[in-house]
Amino acid sequence: MSHALSIHDERSHEMQSSPEHIVPWLGSTYRDRHGRGMRQPMFHMKMPQYRTRQGTFDNLVIAQFKRLATKFPKEVAQCDCAIEDVPPSVPLAWEEQRVALSQGFPAQHGERMRIVLYRMPIEHRSRDRYACELIIRDEITKRFAQLLGKDPRDIDPQWDMD
């Protein structure tokens, strides 16, 4: 359901144009639909209270792709990244692990190559944020090297050393 107003709705246009009828969502703050509380976030988006585990995980993945883009800008530009909560429920027979941490999909049929990271198994294996960052780095490096047909140590010399 969209929250945007229709441009062609005449009543909403009249309410926006007349000074005595200001729509609440055009003001700086407005109350919730019951009129009791503010309808704004309590914390600024940069505050630690605002961050979620998913948002922190996304930021770690973005940081690793930015790091790879400094060394391989053309290859990273041709690669998409996706984050899913859990891997598919039926593991494939040829997978190395029973619980996959990531998957790589080569470019085919007009689609770009993709790396899919599975957030919950990675978070489950890491004891803190630093360990999670190392697992993400290793998984992205492994899948990226696999898609390019290179050794992971050619992509990142520190791969799988920690």
Side-chain angles (χ1 to χ4, degrees):
M1 183 170 177
S2 176
H3 296 291
L5 288 176
S6 172
I7 297 173
H8 304 292
D9 188 6
E10 293 180 18
R11 279 193 356 213
S12 65
H13 180 67
E14 289 173 6
M15 289 179 67
Q16 290 177 0
S17 61
S18 64
E20 66 272 357
H21 292 80
I22 297 176
V23 218
W25 49 87
L26 292 178
S28 60
T29 60
Y30 65 98
R31 303 209 174 267
D32 65 358
R33 64 180 171 210
H34 301 290
R36 290 187 284 263
M38 299 302 284
R39 204 169 193 184
Q40 287 185 340
M42 291 182 67
F43 306 107
H44 189 271
M45 291 177 73
K46 302 282 186 188
M47 299 290 289
Q49 291 90 344
Y50 191 79
R51 293 186 202 130
T52 61
R53 287 189 340 197
Q54 293 90 350
T56 303
F57 190 88
D58 292 348
N59 289 338
L60 292 174
V61 172
I62 289 169
Q64 292 304 315
F65 266 94
K66 283 183 180 179
R67 186 182 64 82
L68 278 179
T70 59
K71 193 171 180 184
F72 301 98
K74 190 174 13 172
E75 290 86 354
V76 170
Q78 297 172 357
C79 183
D80 289 334
C81 181
I83 299 171
E84 294 183 6
D85 287 336
V86 293
S89 60
V90 179
L92 302 173
W94 56 85
E95 287 184 341
E96 334 170 323
Q97 305 168 349
R98 297 316 270 166
V99 177
L101 301 179
S102 65
Q103 267 186 318
F105 298 97
Q108 59 184 0
H109 305 296
E111 290 185 10
R112 298 160 28 126
M113 61 181 168
R114 280 176 299 169
I115 297 174
V116 179
L117 296 168
Y118 301 114
R119 182 182 61 81
M120 292 181 78
I122 291 175
E123 286 179 346
H124 182 70
R125 289 188 184 203
S126 58
R127 61 188 177 279
D128 58 1
R129 185 177 182 269
Y130 180 69
C132 185
E133 186 175 356
L134 291 178
I135 294 172
I136 290 171
R137 182 194 72 184
D138 286 347
E139 287 297 315
I140 289 176
T141 302
K142 178 173 73 173
R143 296 302 176 185
F144 193 65
Q146 178 186 26
L147 291 172
L148 295 179
K150 296 184 178 184
D151 185 57
R153 284 179 181 63
D154 294 340
I155 303 294
D156 186 0
Q158 297 177 352
W159 178 76
D160 205 25
M161 294 183 88
D162 299 320

